[in-house]
Amino acid sequence: MANIDAPFGLNPVGKIGSGPSQKMNEYKIASNEANAIFQGDMVQPDAGYIQQAGTGTTNIGVFWGCKYDDATTNKPTFKNQSAASGNGAVADAFVYDDPYQVFEVQGDSGTASAQTDIMKTADVVVGTGSTTTGISGMELDASDIDTGANLMIIGFCGNPDRNQIDAAGHAVYNVLINEHLYA
């Protein structure tokens, strides 16, 4: 059975080394941030704030949600996405920022996956996240494995419905952020 094509960004699944895993820290999102940030998007520094990361950028980690005071209701609000053009207020973003955090990420369309991909690097494809679910559309760019540098592939996921390694693509890789600000 072929892997399904259902991008979800980067999902934390473990850690390399000892110590507590899957810990988040808070960062700020500017009140006028032009780009939406979705749960599972890699983020990068932006003049004291964070923004959605692009291909070939130095990353802080992976965005998992934010809280802010809603400009309409004046109530504290938590969402797993930050809207384009900001939230009307500076938001506190929760980011998995440990450089040894292991993530799962789906490979994009059109390129076969292979066991020989392990210990190679690849970039991300910045896809469009879902404004309904708040989930990221980022994927691993399988066409530039061994030439891109955002992510280091360390294996494949253990989910039998998503780990078929073959020409059909969309395999789910286990990765580290290779271009990490704190590494």
Side-chain angles (χ1 to χ4, degrees):
M1 184 171 124
N3 296 315
I4 60 172
D5 182 11
F8 52 85
L10 283 81
N11 185 29
V13 294
K15 181 180 174 182
I16 290 184
S18 62
S21 63
Q22 301 181 3
K23 183 178 175 189
M24 292 181 276
N25 285 303
E26 287 187 30
Y27 296 85
K28 301 287 185 192
I29 301 171
S31 61
N32 61 348
E33 173 55 46
N35 298 309
I37 308 173
F38 296 92
Q39 185 178 66
D41 279 350
M42 291 193 315
V43 291
Q44 68 185 39
D46 179 30
Y49 297 97
I50 62 167
Q51 66 180 8
Q52 183 186 57
T55 299
T57 60
T58 300
N59 303 284
I60 293 172
V62 174
F63 175 83
W64 209 249
C66 64
K67 67 177 179 179
Y68 57 92
D69 289 334
D70 186 279
T72 305
T73 65
N74 291 324
K75 292 184 178 183
T77 303
F78 178 85
K79 290 192 173 185
N80 64 345
Q81 68 187 42
S82 178
S85 301
N87 300 301
V90 172
D92 294 319
F94 303 103
V95 177
Y96 287 105
D97 62 357
D98 185 338
Y100 300 104
Q101 178 72 49
V102 177
F103 297 95
E104 287 182 336
V105 61
Q106 175 185 288
D108 65 348
S109 300
T111 306
S113 55
Q115 186 68 27
T116 55
D117 295 342
I118 296 174
M119 298 306 155
K120 293 182 179 177
T121 58
D123 280 329
V124 294
V125 176
V126 181
T128 304
S130 168
T131 56
T132 303
T133 65
I135 302 298
S136 172
M138 279 192 176
E139 298 178 282
L140 181 138
D141 188 351
S143 68
D144 79 349
I145 290 175
D146 212 20
T147 60
N150 283 135
L151 305 171
M152 167 67 70
I153 300 167
I154 61 170
F156 292 91
C157 85
N159 181 339
D161 294 329
R162 301 293 306 266
N163 69 354
Q164 185 172 339
I165 303 171
D166 63 11
H170 303 296
V172 176
Y173 297 85
N174 285 346
V175 299
L176 292 170
I177 297 176
N178 190 51
E179 295 179 316
H180 201 291
L181 183 66
Y182 302 137

